[in-house]
Amino acid sequence: MSYTIGLVGKPSVGKSTFFNAATMNDVPEGAYPFTTIDPSVGEAYVRVDCAAPEFDTTCTPSVGYCDDGTRFVPVRLLDVAGLVPGAHEGKGLGNQFLTDLNEADALVHVVDFSGTTDAEGERTEGHDPREDIDFLEDELDQWYLEILGKGLDKYADAYDKENTDVEVVLAEQMSAFRTNKDEIKKLILRCDLSLEPGEWDDDDRFELAREIRKETKPILIAANKMDTPEAQANWEEVTTDDDYEHLTFVPTSAHAEKALKNAAEGGVVDYTPGDAEFDIVGDISDEQEQGLEAIADFTSEYDGTGVQGAIERALFDVLGVMPVFPGSANGKADEEGEFRDCFLLPRGSTTSDFAYHIHSDIGDGLLHGIDCRTERQVGGDHVLDERDVIELITTA
């Protein structure tokens, strides 16, 4: 699993329910702060159209599974505990929260769109979800600003500034965020700042910290409890607010997803995660039937429960990741089966990137690739497309 999605949210918004629904783990759930103390790690999945049917064969996945031509590729889901206002100052589980959060490539922020939990996770009415969205971004921005400031102090103390570029020093200071000097320089210029930080004021520093945060910790909003009238009313107001154009929103009911998966495990419904429809196949009570009918109304209106969709959009839309299959141009399977693997790579990856992603020896020995659909040779610098099937010809 090459990507980690961090699940964040203030206490009591349904974050643990979301995690359990996505992974079918059994972590504590409860309507009180800090139900989760330590981070929980689980395996979730993203859906990919399997390439095997195009080659008139059946896949044999080494990880994940395939269901009627849909490949479920695993990703790591991290349920991060401790988000409260002032986390960057150490409040709540602040330091632990930020340390755990740094493992994630992208964040899914579970927000109670019904407005029934306040900033501390206590029961209330009429709470504006925008306050929760704002305070997560502010906590992260302040965290980044503190680390950026340490880098700027190091640059100010540099013995030989003429031969030391500020982006090099900042990239080293912020390396935990998986950035580099080229990206830092690009963001400095994007903020219309000079490359001499002595000319920056406090607002310039904050703007740069925010841009680095947005680039290295992109956020998707899982608008949870959308099966309530209050949440649906808030959805219209929040998602049309120009201040949130930079965010992706997915309407979600973690409770509905968990109920459907439990029912599927019990043989009550036939349900594929992410689908907008399901079939009742077992004997149920009148009360269960009413509950499933209410869920069916929600999934029909919102094209699913949103749990699967939130994870997929965080990976494919927000992070810009694509699936690529290793294959064989002559159609021969290896001894362990066909289409065993489906790898997730950043968009824009090349044949060489793909080879190194699988193993450094394969990358070092790469001669060329073969596009298995066209049987044409492609070079190491060839940019791959989504769902390409590539055979790697290597000396390794």
Side-chain angles (χ1 to χ4, degrees):
M1 291 183 285
S2 56
Y3 284 93
T4 297
I5 304 297
L7 204 59
V8 297
K10 70 183 184 184
S12 309
V13 297
K15 179 170 62 72
S16 293
T17 303
F18 186 109
F19 177 84
N20 286 338
T23 63
M24 290 307 284
N25 279 20
D26 187 21
V27 303
E29 299 173 17
Y32 51 91
F34 303 129
T35 303
T36 304
I37 299 298
D38 297 318
S40 300
V41 181
E43 184 176 274
Y45 300 92
V46 293
R47 294 169 295 175
V48 174
D49 289 337
C50 187
E54 299 176 49
F55 292 80
D56 297 321
T57 189
T58 302
C59 68
T60 53
S62 59
V63 293
Y65 63 98
C66 196
D67 183 8
D68 195 25
T70 298
R71 191 81 169 243
F72 285 79
V73 181
V75 295
R76 187 170 179 257
L77 193 62
L78 183 70
D79 181 6
V80 183
L83 175 59
V84 295
H88 73 279
E89 299 172 340
K91 295 180 180 178
L93 304 177
N95 293 331
Q96 178 182 331
F97 164 75
L98 297 174
T99 299
D100 296 337
L101 192 74
N102 208 33
E103 293 187 39
D105 298 290
L107 306 179
V108 171
H109 183 190
V110 181
V111 177
D112 177 3
F113 257 54
S114 70
T116 56
T117 49
D118 65 17
E120 300 291 340
E122 303 290 350
R123 296 289 299 177
T124 188
E125 293 182 3
H127 183 76
D128 190 339
R130 283 172 289 200
E131 293 183 23
D132 299 338
I133 297 170
D134 291 343
F135 97 71
L136 172 65
E137 292 200 291
D138 184 60
E139 290 297 331
L140 298 184
D141 291 343
Q142 294 296 336
W143 177 34
Y144 271 65
L145 180 61
E146 181 180 348
I147 297 172
L148 175 70
K150 293 177 180 178
L152 292 174
D153 289 343
K154 286 184 178 180
Y155 178 78
D157 293 338
Y159 177 74
D160 185 5
K161 293 190 183 66
E162 291 185 3
N163 295 315
T164 304
D165 295 326
V166 64
E167 62 267 25
V168 174
V169 177
L170 293 182
E172 180 179 348
Q173 179 66 34
M174 309 188 83
S175 60
F177 299 128
R178 302 169 208 174
T179 188
N180 57 61
K181 64 181 180 64
D182 294 331
E183 185 173 59
I184 293 292
K185 184 174 182 179
K186 177 188 72 174
L187 295 174
I188 291 173
L189 297 177
R190 180 189 295 177
C191 294
D192 199 25
L193 300 177
S194 76
L195 293 174
E196 176 45 63
E199 300 176 10
W200 304 349
D201 59 21
D202 289 345
D203 289 340
D204 294 332
R205 290 183 175 210
F206 182 81
E207 182 184 6
L208 178 58
R210 182 176 174 84
E211 284 301 311
I212 297 172
R213 188 269 302 168
K214 288 165 65 177
E215 194 76 15
T216 59
K217 284 284 181 285
I219 298 172
L220 175 141
I221 305 297
N224 199 29
K225 306 183 184 180
M226 276 294 294
D227 46 357
T228 65
E230 296 85 357
Q232 293 164 13
N234 283 329
W235 170 269
E236 295 301 325
E237 189 170 348
V238 175
T239 58
T240 56
D241 189 328
D242 292 343
D243 288 343
Y244 303 100
E245 286 184 346
H246 64 289
L247 293 171
T248 299
F249 292 83
V250 176
T252 306
S253 172
H255 172 77
E257 179 74 6
K258 186 72 183 299
L260 286 176
K261 284 190 173 177
N262 285 338
E265 282 193 345
V268 174
V269 301
D270 182 9
Y271 171 64
T272 300
D275 283 0
E277 298 179 351
F278 57 90
D279 295 318
I280 299 175
V281 295
D283 295 330
I284 56 175
S285 66
D286 291 343
E287 183 179 359
Q288 287 174 315
E289 184 176 6
Q290 291 176 0
L292 288 172
E293 285 177 353
I295 291 175
D297 289 342
F298 174 78
T299 58
S300 176
E301 175 72 19
Y302 291 97
D303 196 28
T305 68
V307 170
Q308 186 71 36
I311 295 170
E312 289 171 352
R313 292 196 65 185
L315 195 70
F316 296 135
D317 295 349
V318 176
L319 269 181
V321 172
M322 66 177 183
V324 178
F325 296 87
S328 173
N330 61 17
K332 293 181 180 179
D334 61 36
E335 294 179 358
E336 298 180 3
E338 297 183 90
F339 287 94
R340 298 181 64 250
D341 298 307
C342 176
F343 293 100
L344 301 173
L345 280 75
R347 285 193 176 87
S349 294
T350 63
T351 307
S352 179
D353 294 330
F354 184 31
Y356 276 108
H357 180 84
I358 295 175
H359 198 284
S360 58
D361 288 346
I362 295 176
D364 289 341
L366 180 68
L367 299 174
H368 59 265
I370 298 177
D371 185 324
C372 295
R373 288 190 175 92
T374 64
E375 299 186 6
R376 292 180 179 176
Q377 181 174 312
V378 294
D381 59 354
H382 171 74
V383 177
L384 302 177
D385 288 326
E386 183 175 328
R387 295 183 63 254
D388 267 353
V389 182
I390 301 293
E391 180 177 10
L392 298 171
I393 308 301
T394 175
T395 60

